[in-house]
Amino acid sequence: MEAATKDRTKSTTGDLTLKLGAFMLRCMGGVSSGVFRVIDESGLTFSQMKVLVELEAADEDVRTVTALSEELGISVASASRAADGLVRKKLATRVEDADDRRVRRLALTAKGRELADQIISARLAGLADFTDSLEPDERKKLESALDALLKRPEIAEIYTTYERRVSSR
């Protein structure tokens, strides 16, 4: 009996995962979407894109590579390689810490901020296209589900960051 319940839960979780994945792909407009086009044209690796967007989203202007690796859930070596690539492409610069000269921090250049803004704008445009395609009843149900999820602190924090970024444009 217990094994059957576990199998049913595993099956339901797997199905929910697939549904969420399909939903996310549709929200982003599929492989032909603007966000994928912007990233592809930029020549950034996936890790470089993550670091670039995280630097743009950060509350502070500059971040250490270690802090970025922790925030993004990637190794310090991977974050460091991504940072080096961003610096080579003149999308970021390394700056000396005012309090500790041994510490180097990463900050976006104007070119880096512009590219991050293009990526974020393309991402939001894909989401706007999706929400515009919803029927009123679907939109209401989606908004109710999202409101419930926004009670989770980690999601609420991301929402607040995005809300602040969009309102500052």
Side-chain angles (χ1 to χ4, degrees):
M1 177 103 169
E2 187 177 315
T5 302
K6 280 186 180 180
D7 286 345
R8 213 175 12 255
T9 301
K10 193 174 190 179
S11 174
T12 303
T13 301
D15 192 41
L16 179 60
T17 301
L18 289 173
K19 288 176 183 178
L20 184 57
F23 173 73
M24 290 176 66
L25 282 173
R26 171 54 184 94
C27 286
M28 301 315 284
V31 293
S32 63
S33 80
V35 71
F36 293 124
R37 183 185 42 74
V38 170
I39 293 167
D40 187 47
E41 289 173 359
S42 74
L44 295 179
T45 66
F46 188 67
S47 292
Q48 288 170 343
M49 185 271 308
K50 286 172 68 173
V51 169
L52 181 87
V53 172
E54 180 60 30
L55 282 169
E56 176 63 16
D59 287 334
E60 60 234 41
D61 287 340
V62 292
R63 307 275 292 279
T64 64
V65 169
T66 302
L68 285 165
S69 74
E70 290 170 1
E71 184 67 31
L72 296 171
I74 60 177
S75 71
V76 174
S78 182
S80 184
R81 281 191 302 276
D84 290 343
L86 293 175
V87 170
R88 274 193 308 278
K89 293 174 192 244
K90 302 201 182 324
L91 298 170
T93 185
R94 294 187 188 276
V95 294
E96 194 174 273
D97 186 276
D99 298 323
D100 186 348
R101 294 178 57 182
R102 297 170 297 173
V103 176
R104 305 285 287 176
R105 296 183 179 273
L106 200 62
L108 289 181
T109 61
K111 182 179 173 184
R113 288 195 189 286
E114 183 181 322
L115 180 56
D117 189 51
Q118 288 174 359
I119 292 169
I120 293 162
S121 293
R123 183 183 295 165
L124 292 174
L127 293 170
D129 287 346
F130 172 74
T131 57
D132 289 346
S133 75
L134 295 174
E135 296 294 326
D137 186 53
E138 293 172 323
R139 184 182 307 235
K140 187 175 181 178
K141 288 176 183 176
L142 177 60
E143 190 161 7
S144 293
L146 292 173
D147 286 342
L149 291 172
L150 279 167
K151 292 177 182 169
R152 295 179 63 129
E154 70 275 19
I155 297 173
E157 181 181 343
I158 295 167
Y159 175 78
T160 301
T161 300
Y162 264 67
E163 184 180 42
R164 193 176 31 221
R165 182 181 300 133
V166 169
S167 66
S168 70
R169 290 183 178 166

